[in-house]
Amino acid sequence: MTAVDDRSSVETNGTASSGLYTYDLAPTKKEGRRWGAYNVFTLWANDVHSLGNYAFAIGLFALGLNVWGILAAFALASVLLFLLLTLSGFMGHKTGVPFPVMSRIAFGVRGAKIPAMVRGAVAIAWFGIQTYLASSVLSTLVVTMFPGLRSLNTDSVLGQSTLGWITFLALWALQVLIVSYGMQMIRRYMAFAAPTTLITMCALAVWMFVRADGSISWSVDQPLTGGAMWLQILEGAALWVVIYGTFVLNFCDFTRSARSRGAIVRGNVVGIPVNMLFFAVVVAVLSGAQFKLDGQVITSPTDIVRTIPNMFLLAIASLALIALTVAVNLLANFVAPIYALVNLFPQRLNFRRAGLVSAVAGLVILPWNLYNSPVVVNYFLGGLGALLGPLFGVIMADYWLLRRSRVNVPDLYTEGAQGDYHYRRGFNPRAVWAFIPSAAIAVVVALVPFFGAVSGFSWFIGAVLAALLYTAVADRTAQLNDVDGESIAVAAE
């Protein structure tokens, strides 16, 4: 079935507008959904073990948290994330729609472009950065295996060496190829990458544990204690949730193809609390063992991989880290902007074309320059990231507190003034009024040095404030209809 054919048949029935409905944005049929508990689990098996997450978690050890403090921070964060992601996942399963369409419920059929663009902009920037980090691992491996290519790593073209360009473009093209086959191929890649990731990280931890003679350092020389320790535990847990502030918004992009609520819950249980505690144990072993060996705190698992003496094992470990980074990129940073772009240009872009546009945007921003500029990362990406909390607060308060999960799915695709989500010219002013001040406060807390002590909680502050404001100003007089989208649904991938 093509996007054009499907769209034409729906328009003939008069239930959807061509500016809002395409094959890629349409709700998925309940029958034939393929994502089971294992597929949901693989999302977290890949995403939790990203190199960026390891760098963050090892940083907690470097800041003075002992092993038990790190475990406590991740236990608390995993409970919060399980609740948030399960609620978000249920929304996708019930409606069968992707995030840009889900946003129409609270913000209106046109106002939904606001959260979609914010989420997409953050994802495109991080897509480029994550691809660059993976290409750096690949460049290091290539130079190690073929020392004669070292000369290709010494020049600079737009801030990147010739070898860096080659490895970056190779991984960039690989991701574009995977995405060109749609969500079904992404699901299959996740299923392959997840066990590879878990086995690799477990083997790396065991190898380090053996090197350290079967014991580890439980903390740095001067660990945090008392109130300072507990504050760091709370802030570490909050920041871990913030890292997933993007995912809790667009988790419905994946659960719209989930077989049941039970599959989401089971996948989340194993993938979040269980998997995150396993992740925390791996972090404790890697950082604790390395500190015992030489008194140094590593910054990333790549620091340990580079010390593997066997070339074959070094290559296997490096390729596993690259496969992991690609998986994380596909999940967190590629799917979201694709749907955002399709939502912006529904008559010109489909999933494949939007994927190419997103990838090109992630290339032309020269992400290595972004990553190497603390000002850009902290202020531009940090500011955009702070906006995600208020968006989450408005959307969740509208769906769960006010509507109590009652959604008229067909009306999410109509521009007619009679539609449930037309509001005022396609915008819900009450949602915008709740979002703007909450977003302003969240950004100030996140970026202004005066609020440094609570900056780690900016996502929560913005989310709670937006939810409270929206609950206070929302229209409670409108009739709430609960209609499924089966009449305009397409087959799930």
Side-chain angles (χ1 to χ4, degrees):
M1 181 185 297
T2 66
V4 174
D5 291 338
D6 189 77
R7 183 170 62 241
S8 299
S9 64
V10 172
E11 288 176 352
T12 300
N13 294 332
T15 58
S17 303
S18 60
L20 298 174
Y21 180 95
T22 70
Y23 180 85
D24 297 302
L25 296 177
T28 55
K29 292 181 179 178
K30 294 179 181 178
E31 184 178 354
R33 293 180 180 179
R34 303 179 183 179
W35 289 64
Y38 177 74
N39 299 115
V40 175
F41 158 72
T42 60
L43 298 178
W44 312 124
N46 287 296
D47 197 65
V48 169
H49 293 268
S50 73
L51 295 181
N53 288 350
Y54 273 105
F56 165 77
I58 292 170
L60 296 178
F61 186 83
L63 288 172
L65 271 189
N66 59 28
V67 169
W68 296 114
I70 292 174
L71 291 174
F74 282 96
L76 175 59
S78 67
V79 171
L80 292 172
L81 280 173
F82 173 79
L83 294 174
L84 296 178
L85 286 163
T86 299
L87 289 175
S88 180
F90 283 177
M91 294 164 66
H93 174 260
K94 176 180 172 64
T95 62
V97 303
F99 173 66
V101 178
M102 187 74 70
S103 302
R104 296 173 187 173
I105 302 173
F107 284 88
V109 292
R110 294 182 181 175
K113 296 182 188 300
I114 298 172
M117 286 190 294
V118 172
R119 176 66 183 94
V122 174
I124 285 174
W126 280 113
F127 163 77
I129 290 173
Q130 289 281 5
T131 303
Y132 162 64
L133 293 177
S135 69
S136 298
V137 175
L138 182 57
S139 293
T140 300
L141 174 62
V142 169
V143 169
T144 302
M145 297 181 66
F146 307 100
L149 298 178
R150 192 179 303 274
S151 60
L152 296 178
N153 211 26
T154 57
D155 59 347
S156 178
V157 179
L158 298 176
Q160 180 76 296
S161 69
T162 299
L163 181 59
W165 272 105
I166 294 172
T167 55
F168 180 89
L169 290 176
L171 294 178
W172 179 90
L174 172 63
Q175 293 171 93
V176 171
L177 178 63
I178 293 173
V179 165
S180 69
Y181 286 94
M183 290 295 287
Q184 184 175 355
M185 180 60 71
I186 293 176
R187 176 174 60 88
R188 291 174 177 173
Y189 182 82
M190 295 304 110
F192 154 75
T196 302
T197 297
L198 295 176
I199 292 172
T200 300
M201 300 314 300
C202 186
L204 200 60
V206 170
W207 180 64
M208 284 297 293
F209 189 69
V210 172
R211 283 186 63 196
D213 297 324
S215 64
I216 63 172
S217 294
W218 291 85
S219 68
V220 293
D221 293 333
Q222 295 182 326
L224 296 174
T225 58
M229 178 189 71
W230 285 106
L231 179 61
Q232 188 62 62
I233 288 174
L234 291 176
E235 188 167 293
L239 288 172
W240 187 244
V241 175
V242 170
I243 288 174
Y244 285 88
T246 54
F247 230 135
V248 294
L249 277 177
N250 73 298
F251 190 31
C252 57
D253 289 342
F254 304 94
T255 58
R256 64 195 292 247
S257 297
R259 293 171 184 162
S260 65
R261 279 190 169 196
I264 296 172
V265 172
R266 291 191 298 274
N268 280 351
V269 166
V270 181
I272 301 175
V274 176
N275 181 45
M276 285 186 178
L277 287 177
F278 170 73
F279 167 82
V281 170
V282 172
V283 168
V285 172
L286 293 180
S287 52
Q290 187 65 44
F291 192 80
K292 179 187 177 184
L293 288 172
D294 59 13
Q296 301 296 318
V297 179
I298 60 172
T299 59
S300 169
T302 55
D303 296 339
I304 292 176
V305 169
R306 293 190 184 104
T307 66
I308 296 177
N310 183 284
M311 180 63 71
F312 176 76
L313 296 178
L314 170 65
I316 293 296
S318 297
L319 291 175
L321 292 181
I322 292 168
L324 162 63
T325 305
V326 168
V328 172
N329 231 8
L330 292 171
L331 289 172
N333 303 318
F334 216 162
V335 172
I338 288 174
Y339 281 126
L341 286 169
V342 173
N343 185 57
L344 287 173
F345 308 102
Q347 294 176 311
R348 296 184 179 181
L349 295 179
N350 57 21
F351 194 92
R352 177 178 294 183
R353 293 172 190 160
L356 183 58
V357 172
S358 299
V360 170
L363 169 63
V364 299
I365 61 174
L366 303 180
W368 43 88
N369 292 331
L370 290 179
Y371 183 75
N372 293 324
S373 173
V375 172
V376 173
V377 172
N378 292 336
Y379 286 92
F380 175 67
L381 293 179
L384 282 176
L387 301 179
L388 300 177
L391 290 175
F392 180 78
V394 170
I395 291 170
M396 298 298 280
D398 180 82
Y399 184 90
W400 289 108
L401 297 181
L402 300 175
R403 300 181 182 278
R404 300 186 183 277
S405 74
R406 287 171 290 186
V407 180
N408 185 347
V409 176
D411 272 20
L412 292 171
Y413 300 91
T414 179
E415 293 179 302
Q418 77 284 353
D420 285 359
Y421 311 104
H422 183 265
Y423 296 109
R424 188 179 301 173
R425 296 181 180 178
F427 290 83
N428 181 2
R430 298 171 190 264
V432 177
W433 293 339
F435 168 70
I436 291 177
S438 305
I441 292 173
V443 170
V444 168
V445 171
L447 301 183
V448 175
F450 178 79
F451 299 100
V454 293
S455 61
F457 301 96
S458 62
W459 188 94
F460 287 94
I461 293 171
V464 172
L465 184 58
L468 292 175
L469 285 176
Y470 184 70
T471 302
V473 304
D475 180 12
R476 288 177 169 78
T477 63
Q479 180 179 347
L480 302 179
N481 300 304
D482 194 23
V483 183
D484 67 35
E486 289 296 297
S487 62
I488 57 172
V490 300
E493 293 190 13

